[in-house]
Amino acid sequence: TRMADHDFETFVIAEQLGLERSGQATAESFVLVGPLIVLVVVGLLTLSYRDPVDVILACLGIALTFGWLVGAMGWLGQSFNQLLIAVPCLLVGLGVDYSLHVVMRQRESRARFPSLTAERAMTLGIAGVLVAIGVTTLTTATGFLAGLASPIGILREFGLVAAIGIASAFVVFGLLIPALRIELDELRMRRGRAPSTPATVGSLPPVRRLLERVGSLSLRRPALILALALVLAVGGAMGAGAVETTTDRTEFLPADRAGWMEPLPEAIRPSATGLRENAQYVTATFETPSDRTVELLIEGTVTDDSVGSTLDAGRSHAGDQPTTAQSSAGEPRVSGPLTTVEQVAADNETVATQLNESDTTGDGVPDENLTALFDVVYAADPSAASETIHRTPDGEYDALRMSIVVDETADSAAIRGDADSTAVLISENPNLQATPAGGPVLEAVEQRAILETILVTFLLALVVIAVLLVGLFRRRHGSWSLGLVTILPVLMAIAWLLGTLWVVSVPFTAEIALIVAIAIGLGTDYTVHLTERFATERRAHSRETALRVSLTETGGAVLASGLTTVAAFGLLLLTVVPSLQRFGFVTALVVAYSVLATLVVLPALLVLWGRRRPKLDETRAD
């Protein structure tokens, strides 16, 4: 608030305030971005379908999917958080993808056989994509369920909720919406108004010309396309090692609203909290007390005669570590029970006398009767004693505390390593058990958890999805390699993403770790549709014809679906919540890369694969 009679401002920074403002900013962002997402999605659906009935049914399906998801979350006791707001955007993209492929196949059937009934046309439409939709549902849900292996609780919740939403989308768009469309078409036919059949997305002249050029390039220069894609992928993978991992709390605080938001109506205009800017200002302007302190919790028989020498050895060891900060006098900034005893003894004769009696070797370290020593310290200065020596209500001593101030510039992993080494040294005493804690140790644990999530999620989802695809295409088309061909463009898209994160200096955070699973799930969704269509068409047509039909028809649906998903996630950039902005940007980017890899790299791979398989087995049943 600005004071009326003084030229200065005051503001409050606190952890609880940050939590409250973050929740408020998330809700306000949803109020602002939600209607925009609806408008953009409806607009893109209108351009894709060009039929109000299909647009209404698609919107109804999305609404039903959301309703099922919210109900399932209620039964499971799951609460909403910042990351879960991204699930509706994901389901919009996936639901539109399912709907587009079913409807476009139905339109293909009606265009080829105008005399078909509504039920028969929809049956052919679903039959053409049922396997692809089922497999993409399974692989996409698997990609998110792989997040259950993460040590981060919020990521496990996200994976579970997303998988439930994906399964709901499959049921709604694979069964319910097609059934409603059949009923509506038959109703219109009974009233003498035959339903119109607009062209597919791939039949639109601009889209068709674009996809035909891509197909022509893939047929003429498949090796060149693959080589360029691999070079970019290798470069992106090498850059991934330079991407930093961050757990900075200010990265999650809501930012102040942008200037373009000022003219918005108050009902949808986000509040001008400026919380993130204020926190960054305080950090950069004032020398705040260091929170870079490692705490060692020491439990056990802490009054045993051997404890004094162990604490002294631990203090010396901690002071010798490179990450330990030094005082202005050049002394290590390590404190603990011995430090407390020495400081109190300097001002209290009784404590000094007891310290001398407990020190039988004369080295200044107590080696007997520690209970009596701690008793006189508590009697002399209970406040100072309680900071490093814990006494139970019964007067027993069961825990000690050692504090190590560390260098502000030291890496969290190095700090944790030094703290662990000190804890191990103290724990060598059979009477004691030391446990490192404190902010730097927590940062190191969180960073490791994020990296483990990325690695475990990626490997687990990759292995499961690869096995599923290899088995599927072996069963349907007699080829073990076709499944690997299908997943390779997805891996390239992920490598491109990691390289881009390095170029634009976007650090790894908890929510970005999930995008690896999203990339595998959504990317596989696109590639499975195109590969399945190519393999099916290849049974009856030449390689050139099969690729052309696959790209113009199925590729058109993939393009429309991908653009809708990119738009839905991209609108999260308009929020004032940094975590949602990053999530929207990175997810929109990887979806765009997945579409590019599907429509450019995959056709080249299919051409090269097709050269090894001149003709697929026509006797295999669909």
Side-chain angles (χ1 to χ4, degrees):
T1 53
R2 180 176 292 279
M3 307 300 292
D5 300 328
H6 303 280
D7 188 20
F8 63 85
E9 295 182 3
T10 62
F11 52 82
V12 178
I13 296 295
E15 183 175 355
Q16 185 60 38
L17 179 65
L19 294 174
E20 179 184 343
R21 290 291 188 267
S22 295
Q24 176 185 345
T26 299
E28 292 175 346
S29 297
F30 189 74
V31 171
L32 172 64
V33 173
L36 292 177
I37 293 177
V38 172
L39 289 175
V40 169
V41 169
V42 171
L44 292 174
L45 288 178
T46 302
L47 291 175
S48 300
Y49 286 126
R50 301 175 308 285
D51 185 341
V53 174
D54 286 323
V55 174
I56 292 173
L57 288 177
C59 293
L60 175 62
I62 292 172
L64 287 174
T65 302
F66 288 172
W68 288 15
L69 176 62
V70 172
M73 290 180 63
W75 282 107
L76 294 174
Q78 295 284 347
S79 59
F80 284 98
N81 54 59
Q82 288 184 5
L83 288 185
L84 292 185
I85 289 182
V87 174
C89 299
L90 170 69
L91 296 183
V92 166
L94 200 60
V96 168
D97 179 79
Y98 290 170
S99 179
L100 276 168
H101 284 289
V102 172
V103 171
M104 295 307 155
R105 275 299 185 94
Q106 181 212 26
R107 291 181 179 181
E108 285 186 56
S109 299
R110 300 194 75 165
R112 187 177 301 178
F113 308 107
S115 62
L116 288 178
T117 63
E119 180 179 356
R120 182 60 178 164
M122 181 59 73
T123 300
L124 291 178
I126 293 178
V129 296
L130 182 61
V131 172
I133 288 179
V135 172
T136 54
T137 298
L138 187 59
T139 54
T140 306
T142 298
F144 285 101
L145 287 176
L148 295 177
S150 169
I152 303 175
I154 193 173
L155 299 186
R156 294 195 298 270
E157 293 178 5
F158 185 96
L160 177 62
V161 171
I164 293 173
I166 292 167
S168 301
F170 172 73
V171 175
V172 169
F173 287 98
L175 298 176
L176 180 59
I177 298 303
L180 288 176
R181 182 57 199 257
I182 292 173
E183 295 296 328
L184 288 175
D185 285 349
E186 290 183 346
L187 178 62
R188 294 163 71 180
M189 294 178 70
R190 285 196 297 268
R191 293 184 176 182
R193 292 181 294 179
S196 60
T197 306
T200 61
V201 174
S203 300
L204 299 176
V207 178
R208 189 179 190 89
R209 286 195 296 269
L210 173 64
L211 295 176
E212 285 182 344
R213 289 176 182 175
V214 172
S216 176
L217 181 61
S218 299
L219 288 168
R220 291 185 289 108
R221 297 288 187 272
L224 177 61
I225 293 175
L226 182 58
L228 291 175
L230 285 174
V231 168
L232 292 176
V234 171
M238 293 175 63
V243 179
E244 297 182 354
T245 301
T246 181
T247 56
D248 185 0
R249 296 297 188 270
T250 60
E251 292 292 329
F252 297 87
L253 292 176
D256 205 355
R257 64 189 178 208
W260 65 268
M261 297 181 179
E262 297 298 334
L264 295 175
E266 186 176 355
I268 63 173
R269 185 174 64 234
S271 301
T273 61
L275 192 62
R276 186 185 187 203
E277 290 76 7
N278 291 343
Q280 292 174 337
Y281 173 79
V282 170
T283 301
T285 306
F286 301 100
E287 184 177 351
T288 57
S290 174
D291 60 352
R292 300 278 284 179
T293 302
V294 170
E295 308 287 352
L296 290 183
L297 173 62
I298 305 171
E299 300 172 290
T301 309
V302 298
T303 55
D304 186 82
D305 291 345
S306 62
V307 169
S309 59
T310 299
L311 292 177
D312 185 56
R315 181 171 60 177
S316 299
H317 182 272
D320 293 337
Q321 300 309 302
T323 59
T324 300
Q326 305 291 320
S327 67
S328 57
E331 295 294 329
R333 299 180 63 185
V334 181
S335 60
L338 295 184
T339 308
T340 300
V341 170
E342 292 166 355
Q343 290 174 347
V344 176
D347 299 325
N348 187 284
E349 186 176 346
T350 302
V351 176
T353 301
Q354 183 60 53
L355 176 58
N356 289 331
E357 293 178 358
S358 297
D359 177 15
T360 61
T361 60
D363 60 357
V365 178
D367 51 49
E368 70 176 18
N369 204 7
L370 266 66
T371 300
L373 179 60
F374 291 163
D375 285 340
V376 296
V377 172
Y378 257 94
D381 193 341
S383 177
S386 62
E387 291 183 1
T388 58
I389 305 168
H390 181 258
R391 184 167 65 176
T392 67
D394 298 332
E396 301 292 333
Y397 299 99
D398 61 353
L400 306 174
R401 171 191 175 195
M402 180 179 291
S403 298
I404 307 168
V405 179
V406 296
D407 189 348
E408 287 289 332
T409 62
D411 179 70
S412 296
I415 293 173
R416 185 188 180 189
D418 291 346
D420 285 342
S421 68
T422 303
V424 169
L425 175 64
I426 295 174
S427 298
E428 289 178 356
N429 186 322
N431 298 293
L432 301 177
Q433 177 62 47
T435 304
V441 174
L442 180 60
E443 288 179 12
V445 171
E446 290 177 345
Q447 290 177 0
R448 183 175 180 84
I450 291 173
L451 293 176
E452 285 181 356
T453 296
I454 295 173
L455 182 61
V456 172
T457 299
F458 175 75
L459 292 179
L460 182 59
L462 177 63
V463 170
V464 174
I465 291 175
V467 170
L468 289 173
L469 292 181
V470 168
L472 167 74
F473 287 110
R474 171 61 181 174
R475 176 68 179 84
R476 286 182 55 75
H477 304 294
S479 172
W480 294 104
S481 59
L482 194 55
L484 299 178
V485 167
T486 302
I487 203 171
L488 184 57
V490 181
L491 301 181
M492 291 185 180
I494 294 173
W496 300 345
L497 171 69
L498 296 178
T500 304
L501 293 182
W502 171 63
V503 171
V504 300
S505 300
V506 175
F508 281 137
T509 55
E511 74 272 8
I512 291 181
L514 266 179
I515 297 176
V516 174
I518 293 178
I520 295 177
L522 285 179
T524 306
D525 177 19
Y526 301 146
T527 58
V528 165
H529 280 294
L530 191 64
T531 302
E532 173 67 16
R533 184 64 183 268
F534 174 81
T536 301
E537 296 291 338
R538 186 68 183 90
R539 293 175 181 170
H541 304 291
S542 65
R543 182 170 60 247
E544 292 77 8
T545 301
L547 187 64
R548 179 182 58 81
V549 173
S550 300
L551 272 176
T552 55
E553 299 300 341
T554 300
V558 168
L559 180 62
S561 173
L563 290 177
T564 305
T565 306
V566 169
F569 277 105
L571 287 173
L572 293 178
L573 289 170
L574 301 180
T575 68
V576 295
V577 182
S579 59
L580 287 180
Q581 292 174 348
R582 287 191 301 271
F583 194 93
F585 167 73
V586 177
T587 306
L589 185 65
V590 77
V591 171
Y593 283 161
S594 298
V595 173
L596 181 65
T598 300
L599 298 181
V600 178
V601 179
L602 181 57
L605 286 170
L606 292 174
V607 169
L608 294 175
W609 175 85
R611 290 176 180 176
R612 297 179 59 251
R613 297 290 300 267
K615 190 84 169 180
L616 285 176
D617 187 358
E618 297 183 20
T619 63
R620 284 186 177 270
D622 285 339

